[in-house]
Structures are given as structure tokens and as C-alpha cells.
Amino acid sequence: MSLLFRLPREVRDQIYLYALYNANGLLYKRCRDCTSKLCLRPGRRSSRRNRFAWLRKAPFDWTVARRKGHQHESNQLKYVCRQLYIETNGLNIRQNLVVLEDACSGNAMEQCVLLLGRWPMLRQISIKCGSKIFASAPGRSKFLEIVEYCVENSHVSVRIHIPYWSQTDPNFVLRGISYLLTLRKDRRLMKRLAQATSISYLSDSKAEVFSVDVELPCNLRWLPTEEKFNQPLFEYAVRKHPMLSQPSAQAAVGDLQKLAKGWFIDGL
């Protein structure tokens, strides 16, 4: 018997959770044979995962993988033996953020509704879909189903990336403040800005300001289209914006950088 299986089950479960954790989350991918798998998302490896690298069957070269056009399935432990398959099956879903993106097999909203009903162990999910799907009638219909699920399952966290809310846009901060009003009914920052300066030209932007007519639960969060805050890019956009460069606007909103970073971490 392996020394691993001589440990108590509670200890083994903790080892599995550390070994299956990926700081960049997992990407849900539909295969050509109509099966699906969860793939590791490339990026900087976390120290937690490196400590348990010996539990993986073999090292994985991301450069070779990208050249071959495939991605590494997240849970390799289940292929070691039958007992590891039984004990680790589904733990990667509970431990990691699962990222959904539009694909030919279905858009991210549809995939989310499908997986929420199929995987009860799912705890964190991130939706990244295109602007056409995001604003379409089918997309809105699936979104309402997601809202209903979040209301009934407070332990599940859903993050939706708004495709036309980008930090490359000089209106990024103003758009976020508008989303606070239209999505969360929070008018505090908008009221301060309105008192300090004019914000009427925000409506001239080409990208629409998304709004909903239902009350949103706290476990459903809205985030910018990018996953990470880019400080040089953000500072450049702020300098280029005629209103945000005014001291009165900055005094009304407060620390713009802290506000923007919070949107990337916690969302709206």
C-alpha cells in the first residue's frame, strides 16, 4: 500500500485540495467527441501547487502544449489508480475558479446554466462572453436563470465580466460608477460626481451601459473584461480623460486607483 493511503482520509483530502489548486483557475473546454474537461489555465504557478508537484504524473511543458493546440487536464491524480480516482473526482471543481468562455459548442451563459445544474460541487465560476451574446435576448434569458440559481444557492459565487467595460477606455471609471447605479442601485459616487462636475457626456460613449431590472444577489459580481488591473494603462487613461484629471472630480470620487483595483478584486 502506498504511504499516501496510510494517512487519515481527512489529511489526504487536504493534500488533494492543495495539489489540485491552480491560482489561475480552470478553463472549461468542450472536446470534439462531445466530452468536456477542465484544463489548467497557463500563467504563473502558485507556490501551493509547486509543493505538491510530485503528485502529478509528469511535468508539463506549456510551450509544447500551445504548439500542439491542446491543454492539460487539471486532475491528473485520478489516472494514477482507482482509489485516487474515487477520492479526487470532483475535488478540482470545488477547489478552483472555473472559467467559461464562448465556444462553437455554446456561449458562456449557456455553459454556466448547464454546469450549475450538473455539478453540485461547483463553488466559483467566471463568465467571459462576447458583447453580442451578452446583450442578446437569449443571453439575458440565461442570465436570469443564473440570478435565480445564485439567490437559491448563496454558497456559489458567480463572476460576470462585462465585455465592454475595459480599462483601456478613458471612461472606465465613469462607466463603473454608472454600473454601480444601474446594477446595484448605489448612487453615492454618481451623486458626488454630479455635484462636483458635469457627467452628461458619458452617454456619448459607443459602448452601452448594461442595466438589469431585477435585484441582484451579493454572490453574483460584475467585473471588467480584463482579469487583472494594469496600473500604467489605467494611469494613462485617467490622464487622457478631461474630467477625471480635474481636482474636483478626484476629490468627489476619492482614490481612483484604489477604487479601480477593488473592481478587479471584488467586482461590483
Side-chain angles (χ1 to χ4, degrees), residues 18-56:
Y18 275 96
L20 295 174
Y21 172 77
N22 184 48
N24 299 292
L26 308 178
L27 178 65
Y28 176 76
K29 189 176 182 64
R30 293 281 295 179
C31 304
R32 293 181 179 179
D33 58 357
C34 297
T35 61
S36 60
K37 63 180 180 179
L38 289 171
C39 304
L40 294 174
R41 302 182 73 211
R44 186 176 61 182
R45 295 180 177 179
S46 73
S47 58
R48 293 174 62 186
R49 200 157 56 86
N50 290 340
R51 294 173 193 170
F52 295 92
W54 58 273
L55 284 171
R56 295 194 295 274

Side-chain angles (χ1 to χ4, degrees), residues 113-249:
V113 173
L114 178 66
L115 296 186
L116 288 174
R118 181 181 295 177
W119 292 347
M121 295 184 69
L122 189 59
R123 293 294 180 269
Q124 304 175 70
I125 193 163
S126 178
I127 301 173
K128 304 184 70 176
C129 59
S131 56
K132 291 183 179 180
I133 297 296
F134 191 79
S136 66
R140 297 267 180 150
S141 175
K142 296 299 180 183
F143 166 73
L144 293 177
E145 293 185 46
I146 295 171
V147 172
E148 183 178 353
Y149 186 92
C150 289
V151 171
E152 297 174 355
N153 300 270
S154 58
H155 61 282
V156 176
S157 173
V158 176
R159 302 159 65 93
I160 301 178
H161 293 266
I162 302 177
Y164 30 70
W165 184 27
S166 170
Q167 59 188 323
T168 60
D169 182 4
N171 275 327
F172 173 74
V173 173
L174 296 183
R175 194 166 303 284
I177 294 174
S178 296
Y179 286 138
L180 280 173
L181 175 62
T182 58
L183 299 175
R184 295 294 179 185
K185 314 307 179 192
D186 185 346
R187 61 180 69 249
R188 289 174 295 177
L189 289 180
M190 180 67 76
K191 186 176 180 180
R192 293 178 196 168
L193 265 181
Q195 292 173 346
T197 184
S198 171
I199 57 172
S200 59
Y201 60 86
L202 179 60
S203 60
D204 296 335
S205 177
K206 294 181 180 179
E208 98 178 66
V209 175
F210 187 68
S211 63
V212 295
D213 53 3
V214 295
E215 185 175 352
L216 301 177
C218 294
N219 55 326
L220 191 153
R221 313 301 297 181
W222 301 89
L223 288 86
T225 183
E226 298 94 359
E227 295 186 29
K228 296 182 179 180
F229 176 76
N230 187 314
Q231 184 170 339
L233 184 62
F234 173 77
E235 292 177 350
Y236 176 80
V238 169
R239 287 197 302 268
K240 289 296 183 179
H241 198 285
M243 191 185 73
L244 293 179
S245 59
Q246 298 178 13
S248 58

